[in-house]
Amino acid sequence: MSRNDAAPGTVTAPPGRIRRLLSHLYIQCLIGVLLGAAVGGLWPSLGADLKPLGDGFIALVKMLIAPIIFCTVVHGIASMGNARAVGRVSLKALVYFEVLTTVAMVIGLVVVNVVQPGSGLHIDLSTLSTKGLPPEATTAHEGFAEFVLAIIPATVVGALTGNEILPVLLVSVLFGFGLHASGEAGLGIARGIEKFSTVLFTLIRWIMRLAPIGAFGSMAFTIGNYGLGTLRHLALLVGSFWLTALFFVLVVLGTVMRLNGLRLLPFLRYIKEELLIVLGTSSTEPVLPRMMAKLQHAGASKPVVGITLPAGYSFNLDGTAIYLTMGSVFLAQALGIDLSLTQQVTMLAIMLLTSKGAAGVTGSGFIALAATLSAVPHVPVAALALIFGIDRFMSEARALTSLVGNGVATLAVARWEGELDESRAKAVLRGEIPYAPVATPSAVTAEPGTKETPAPTRDPVPAAS
């Protein structure tokens, strides 16, 4: 029966509209997440076996993150007229990170003390064991000196082949200043690096087509391996953590956006594809290249994006900050340990260190919590066994909160530096200048019927889709 022969009263969606809808990456990722949850719930063993799909997708993106950060930061610094601006941007970013991280921790501390999700559990410590916890949670954790020294790679090339972001940033900043100081000699290299970054973003655009498969595999594994039944006993902790993270995003980050003349909800709509990818994979790393491209498309200059966003992945983990305070106090409540205000403030000060340097990968928040507990005598590390089973259900909220927080931080620092095209940012967030799959260095082509505004002249990176 053709469309014209359809029964009276029935509504049929135009096939072309359905195809256009399914062509959007965020719709594909949403379908992948829902199918993954269904497979994990209906066939747990099959869902648990699908973990390699998510791991493979994350690995494909991670192999390009270091060179993309290197190219973006190096070319950004080399093209800046005033090298002092780099130090100014870095200082403003670090101050912002510390303030927002502290605010996130304080909010988590207040909520967990008011809600008290662990009160009444009366867990016997003798029944807990570190057996079954990941090895990283039970090993000795580095001190401040070791943390700083670990930022320095063994070789320049080694920084680009490792798994840490901070060594890449160090090498990139040094190399960028070297090119900047070399004058004409470094100009050709800087142009070559810019062209190389175009190739890297093309590869990222291809890899991101696999994001729905990665989200499907990761969600199927999470539900199949841990099961929704795990949430029943600790639902109050999981629920209060998600609500606290939502409050932080809407109120705190929303206020930051308002103070900078922008609105949060349009920004969330702008990065909806990245949010769904993070929701499916529980990791912020796969969307780092796309976030860099989208923030530049929104009018933030390349040097500010290249410095602030990657640094935020190590220094501005707002979701992890909330998790650390809520998780540690919850464990104390469950064990019947009464933490004084002084003890809680001491733990908060330690968390300001242990929350730094954690990569945006799945489980990094749990390892940071283990590092915190091993550094204070109040709560034993073995207590982590209480929340190990539900940690994965909180990792999505950690990653989503940190992703939004780093995007807001980049826009805020860019505006404070005078490196944000505010009129373009507002137009982009209103949807008047769509994020194009391919952008040329001179302009971004708008879709037919939309207002076309010239792209910033501050070295935009080719956009990925």
Side-chain angles (χ1 to χ4, degrees), residues 137-279:
T138 55
T139 54
H141 297 277
E142 59 187 18
F144 179 75
E146 289 79 6
F147 170 75
V148 173
L149 291 175
I151 298 176
I152 305 174
T155 63
V156 171
V157 177
L160 302 180
T161 59
N163 295 319
E164 299 294 331
I165 291 178
L166 291 181
V168 180
L169 275 177
L170 175 64
V171 170
S172 302
V173 169
L174 292 176
F175 199 84
F177 275 121
L179 289 183
H180 189 279
S182 299
E184 290 294 328
L187 188 59
I189 298 178
R191 289 173 178 168
I193 289 176
E194 182 186 19
K195 294 178 180 179
F196 181 55
S197 70
T198 304
V199 178
L200 294 177
F201 273 91
T202 299
L203 296 178
I204 281 291
R205 187 167 65 249
W206 293 347
I207 292 174
M208 292 311 295
R209 295 299 180 190
L210 301 175
I213 299 176
F216 166 76
S218 294
M219 187 58 67
F221 165 75
T222 299
I223 302 300
N225 192 58
Y226 299 108
L228 291 173
T230 314
L231 294 174
R232 279 201 304 269
H233 303 292
L234 298 169
L236 185 57
L237 173 62
V238 176
S240 59
F241 174 69
W242 272 85
L243 290 176
T244 303
L246 183 63
F247 173 83
F248 178 83
V249 169
L250 295 179
V251 177
V252 178
L253 297 182
T255 301
V256 174
M257 289 287 280
R258 282 286 188 182
L259 292 175
N260 287 280
L262 301 173
R263 294 171 56 206
L264 178 67
L265 293 183
F267 177 68
L268 296 180
R269 285 195 297 269
Y270 179 57
I271 61 170
K272 58 182 178 293
E273 293 179 353
E274 290 70 32
L275 292 173
L276 281 170
I277 293 171
V278 170
L279 177 65

Side-chain angles (χ1 to χ4, degrees), residues 252-338:
V252 178
L253 297 182
T255 301
V256 174
M257 289 287 280
R258 282 286 188 182
L259 292 175
N260 287 280
L262 301 173
R263 294 171 56 206
L264 178 67
L265 293 183
F267 177 68
L268 296 180
R269 285 195 297 269
Y270 179 57
I271 61 170
K272 58 182 178 293
E273 293 179 353
E274 290 70 32
L275 292 173
L276 281 170
I277 293 171
V278 170
L279 177 65
T281 60
S282 297
S283 172
T284 57
E285 283 198 338
V287 299
L288 175 57
R290 286 178 59 91
M291 286 293 292
M292 295 175 75
K294 276 198 167 184
L295 289 169
Q296 289 177 53
H297 177 74
S301 70
K302 186 174 184 177
V304 173
V305 173
I307 293 172
T308 306
L309 189 63
Y313 267 56
S314 290
F315 291 101
N316 189 43
L317 302 176
D318 297 326
T320 298
I322 297 172
Y323 171 79
L324 290 178
T325 50
M326 294 191 69
S328 57
V329 177
F330 167 82
L331 294 177
Q333 293 171 352
L335 296 174
I337 301 173
D338 185 19

